[in-house]
Amino acid sequence: MIAIELLETASSGVAQTLHALASTPLAAPEPAPKGIDTEGVVGFFASKIAPILLAVLGVIFIGRASRGEISKVLTSSAIAIVGLAFIAGAATLFFVGDYLIDLIFE
């Protein structure tokens, strides 16, 4: 008796689910991605990763300076500044290259 009621309940539930699936319209497929969002990636690194790395460098420099290792702090600071200059130069070359490509292929 219980088995018959469970079977009837299950079959009505399956029938309702199949009816709901049959009545829902099919969604259009999503368009394929066209490429990588490089501006988003660069923006993420510039806004989230770079400040954290600079803060870590600052803590290391302050720790060394408090121990009296001023020459190591100055050397490391100069290396960090040169590294930041190289990064800024690479970003500048990216924009200059984009400008030159636009200029040539217009």
Side-chain angles (χ1 to χ4, degrees):
M1 189 68 146
I2 296 173
I4 294 172
E5 289 177 9
L6 284 173
L7 222 126
E8 288 175 356
T9 306
S11 65
S12 67
V14 169
Q16 288 176 355
T17 305
L18 289 176
H19 177 67
L21 287 175
S23 65
T24 54
L26 294 176
E30 293 183 19
K34 296 180 182 176
I36 298 173
D37 181 21
T38 55
E39 291 179 10
V41 172
V42 171
F44 173 77
F45 277 109
S47 65
K48 304 284 191 268
I49 304 297
I52 293 171
L53 292 176
L54 290 175
V56 169
L57 281 175
V59 168
I60 291 171
F61 292 163
I62 290 171
R64 280 187 173 176
S66 67
R67 287 186 281 162
E69 300 176 4
I70 301 299
S71 64
K72 288 184 180 180
V73 170
L74 291 176
T75 304
S76 299
S77 299
I79 291 171
I81 290 170
V82 169
L84 289 173
F86 275 110
I87 291 171
T92 304
L93 288 177
F94 176 75
F95 291 116
V96 169
D98 189 34
Y99 171 75
L100 289 175
I101 288 173
D102 288 343
L103 187 65
I104 291 172
F105 292 111
E106 268 188 1

